[in-house]
Amino acid sequence: CPNTFIKSVVILPTPVSQITASTLVGCPPLTITFQGDNSFNSWNFGNGNTSSLNLINQIYTTSGNYTVTLVSQFANGCSDTSHVSVNIYPSPTSDFVASVDSSCVIPLNVLFTNYSTGANGYLWLFGNGTTSTSNNLVNILFNNTGVYQNALIASNQYGCSDTSYSTLSIYNEPIAHGSLSPSSGCEPLSVQFTNNSSNSNNYLWLFGDGGSSILSNPLYDYTTSGLFQVKLISYGNASCSDTLELTDTVNVYPNPVASFTYTELHVPVENSGLIQLVNTSILADSYLWNFGDNTSDTTKNPIHRYSIYGNYEIFLYVENNFGCWDTARQNVRISEFHGLYVSNAFSPEYGPAEVRTFKPRGIGIETYHIYIYDNWGNLIWESNQLLYTEPAEGWDGNDRNGQPMPQDTY
């Protein structure tokens, strides 16, 4: 006996997974735009990245072959899978070295050495407008100062390329120039140095006495005498330098050294206020004494008589032929003195000057009067003149009329 069973079967729609890519080959870094269908998408880009977007950009930075998988799925659970292969070509590495990267030499010849890898084609672009396709060494001449950007484009058989750069700086050569003032004088001598260098950043002054300075315009003190040659080194960019030996030398004159000693003299009598000064100065050519009693002297080793005992400050100023000077001073104690010494004979017509005049010797005399008479009581000569408490004049042996008196006792 027949029987019939009927059941409906529903066939659900299945998506068709389809990948659309902007490109599938290229050089790194390569950006590819992927687009799936309108279903729910699940991407695996083969480089470790995934996504569920319908439209997405993916960047491949490393050369190699990558399988991109797209799983498309409807809400009913039906799905489909599609695949594409992405081929990222190897990229060359551009690299080069210049024999110099900075200089102050014009013209300048620079050697460029190619250290690129993975390339079979090269294009050099130099900052002075020169180009080259050499694959190894390139000599380029630069004739002017400036900053030059140099580039090397390295490419391979896939059309992939890489570019490297270097900068060459060519500077003006530094020029050292300077002056000094004053060029001569007594020690210690302060000299101002003026820097007029050009194309320079740093400086070194060598003062000739072992001293130095890195200041641009130093003020320097010379503390010893002598003749000193000064040098200025000016430093520019690229370790360039220029050295100037100044035409003016520094001539530092020696200073004299003032000094002296003294001794009290006891002639013609003890403690007469007379002193002998002994000049022990060195390198001196002229002298000026101030004895502290409003008197002075310019001899080297003077003898000086004080009219009043007491304390005095003796001042000695010395100078040499260069105009350099020094001073010395001492406090002098003049021993107490006073009194009068009268000789008992003299010789008006013969002998040295000091015995041809009858002149009493004394010091510290406040008032004084001397009379000379002949044997008959006639006044022949008299005096009361004092100079600095000393008798100021003497009898020459003549009478009041200027006639010589005979040898006798008066």
Side-chain angles (χ1 to χ4, degrees):
C1 295
N3 189 12
T4 301
F5 176 77
I6 299 173
K7 187 175 181 179
S8 298
V9 177
V10 178
I11 305 301
L12 299 176
T14 299
V16 178
S17 179
Q18 185 175 358
I19 298 174
T20 301
S22 59
T23 184
L24 294 177
V25 293
C27 303
L30 179 64
T31 300
I32 303 176
T33 301
F34 293 98
Q35 184 173 5
D37 51 38
N38 292 325
S39 59
F40 176 78
N41 297 310
S42 177
W43 293 93
N44 187 325
F45 298 107
N47 61 354
N49 295 333
T50 61
S51 178
S52 60
L53 299 177
N54 183 46
L55 183 66
I56 187 172
N57 289 329
Q58 187 64 203
I59 300 175
Y60 290 87
T61 59
T62 306
S63 62
N65 292 313
Y66 301 89
T67 299
V68 180
T69 300
L70 173 62
V71 178
S72 301
Q73 185 175 2
F74 282 162
N76 59 14
C78 297
S79 63
D80 187 29
T81 300
S82 60
H83 306 276
V84 294
S85 292
V86 174
N87 187 9
I88 305 299
Y89 299 133
S91 180
T93 299
S94 176
D95 186 26
F96 69 95
V97 173
S99 59
V100 61
D101 58 8
S102 62
S103 178
C104 59
V105 176
I106 301 173
L108 178 66
N109 190 51
V110 182
L111 177 64
F112 294 88
T113 304
N114 189 348
Y115 290 101
S116 302
T117 58
N120 59 5
Y122 307 95
L123 176 61
W124 298 87
L125 303 174
F126 299 104
N128 63 353
T130 304
T131 63
S132 175
T133 57
S134 173
N135 64 351
N136 195 1
L137 302 177
V138 182
N139 273 307
I140 300 298
L141 186 65
F142 294 86
N143 293 305
N144 301 298
T145 61
V147 179
Y148 298 92
Q149 186 77 20
N150 305 300
L152 172 60
I153 302 173
S155 59
N156 59 17
Q157 64 272 26
Y158 302 106
C160 299
S161 65
D162 184 35
T163 304
S164 57
Y165 303 90
S166 74
T167 300
L168 171 64
S169 299
I170 303 179
Y171 303 98
N172 287 311
E173 186 175 6
I175 300 175
H177 188 269
S179 59
L180 60 89
S181 179
S183 61
S184 61
C186 304
E187 58 176 321
L189 178 64
S190 292
V191 180
Q192 178 65 61
F193 294 90
T194 302
N195 192 336
N196 301 116
S197 301
S198 57
N199 307 323
S200 305
N201 304 318
N202 298 290
Y203 313 95
L204 176 61
W205 291 90
L206 301 174
F207 299 119
D209 64 345
S212 63
S213 176
I214 59 174
L215 298 178
S216 178
N217 299 288
L219 178 66
Y220 186 71
D221 293 331
Y222 287 89
T223 58
T224 57
S225 61
L227 194 64
F228 303 99
Q229 185 69 57
V230 179
K231 292 182 180 180
L232 169 61
I233 305 175
S234 297
Y235 297 94
N237 294 305
S239 300
C240 299
S241 65
D242 185 36
T243 300
L244 169 69
E245 190 172 274
L246 273 66
T247 55
D248 288 334
T249 56
V250 177
N251 194 355
V252 183
Y253 304 132
N255 284 328
V257 179
S259 65
F260 65 92
T261 62
Y262 74 94
T263 303
E264 284 195 73
L265 300 179
H266 302 292
V267 291
V269 295
E270 184 79 12
N271 297 337
S272 61
L274 194 65
I275 65 169
Q276 171 71 63
L277 291 143
V278 178
N279 193 332
T280 55
S281 303
I282 60 175
L283 301 177
D285 300 299
S286 62
Y287 315 93
L288 176 61
W289 297 87
N290 187 316
F291 300 112
D293 61 352
N294 295 321
T295 62
S296 61
D297 199 323
T298 58
T299 58
K300 184 176 181 180
N301 298 292
I303 295 176
H304 181 68
R305 182 185 296 277
Y306 286 94
S307 60
I308 301 174
Y309 63 85
N311 294 319
Y312 296 91
E313 183 180 54
I314 299 179
F315 180 91
L316 172 61
Y317 174 92
V318 300
E319 188 173 309
N320 61 22
N321 292 330
F322 300 113
C324 305
W325 56 272
D326 190 28
T327 60
R329 63 184 65 201
Q330 287 192 51
N331 290 319
V332 175
R333 172 66 180 173
I334 302 300
S335 302
E336 183 175 347
F337 63 86
H338 58 79
L340 182 67
Y341 170 78
V342 182
S343 66
N344 59 5
F346 77 110
S347 175
E349 297 180 350
Y350 305 101
E354 59 265 23
V355 302
R356 298 180 70 173
T357 301
F358 179 79
K359 181 180 179 182
R361 308 287 181 178
I363 195 73
I365 302 172
E366 184 175 352
T367 61
Y368 159 85
H369 205 136
I370 184 172
Y371 305 88
I372 296 179
Y373 297 89
D374 63 13
N375 291 327
W376 294 274
N378 298 313
L379 181 64
I380 299 174
W381 179 81
E382 67 175 315
S383 175
N384 61 358
Q385 300 298 312
L386 294 173
L387 180 64
Y388 302 119
T389 75
E390 300 179 52
E393 57 186 358
W395 180 40
D396 59 3
N398 295 326
D399 62 16
R400 288 178 176 270
N401 297 319
Q403 297 300 315
M405 297 293 292
Q407 182 178 344
D408 203 344
T409 300
Y410 297 89

